[in-house]
Amino acid sequence: MSNLDALTGAWPRILDGILITLELTAGGAVLAFVLALTLGTTARARSLAVRGPARVLIEFFRGTSLLVQIFWLFYVLPLLGYQLDPVFCGILALGLNYGAYGAEVVRGALNSVPKPQVEAAVALGFSPWQRLHRVLFPQAWALMIPPLANLLVHLLKGTAVASYITLQDLTFEIEKLRDSTGDTLFAFGIGLLIYFVIAYLLSLGMNLLEARAKHKLGRGPSMREVLRLAPDTSLDAVAGTASTRQKVAP
């Protein structure tokens, strides 16, 4: 049987594996984002009673292996009387691990907002929640997106560990394709291509989200301008280009 025949026969199972991988990615990303916002915000608190536990959780999940974490949740918890569903276990491990990394992204982005703006919000009588919601987060959000996009791609690749807890994800099905063909190069070449396409689509979506966030702050083009395939030939655009050239001319 040729490699293409084997791929055709295995394709329905590979599609099922892709769905499992996407489910793990989406679930893990949502949980990671919620944890990142929660831990990243509380890690900036002045009170040690609030900041301390957040820092402990961040450092613990950043400092331990994702593989060990998912093994512990799936194989050790049953010894203590808690049996987790494999999909939920994978989502939980991915969310905890990457949420800890995302918390540092959130904390750094919030800290990068200029202090005079925070001081102005305090002078206007904004509550802590109003300062966070109206002043800090809208500006920090545009800064968070690029590193969060990188973490999302890493999370996608991290779903491969789910094959160790009986989940038939994309990596599991690629392994089966290799066993059926005996061709490692072909099987894992297909796997690389599929992972690349998914990662590229995720990155494209995050880039559009970043463009939207920056446009709201007046720092970039609108979504319509970003998605426009044809160049902008309006008089305003031409005049702006000519003015820019005059400024840079010697």
Side-chain angles (χ1 to χ4, degrees), residues 6-53:
L7 176 61
T8 301
W11 187 247
R13 298 194 306 272
I14 292 176
L15 286 178
D16 292 338
I18 292 175
L19 291 178
I20 293 294
T21 295
L22 292 178
E23 184 178 358
L24 291 171
T25 302
V30 170
L31 178 58
F33 183 68
V34 172
L35 288 176
L37 290 180
T38 303
L39 296 177
T41 303
T42 54
R44 301 176 63 253
R46 294 183 178 181
S47 172
L48 180 61
V50 177
R51 185 178 71 252

Side-chain angles (χ1 to χ4, degrees), residues 117-136:
Q117 298 193 31
V118 181
E119 294 171 354
V122 173
L124 291 173
F126 283 14
S127 67
W129 167 249
Q130 289 175 323
R131 294 197 297 270
L132 177 65
H133 178 64
R134 297 184 178 182
V135 179
L136 287 171

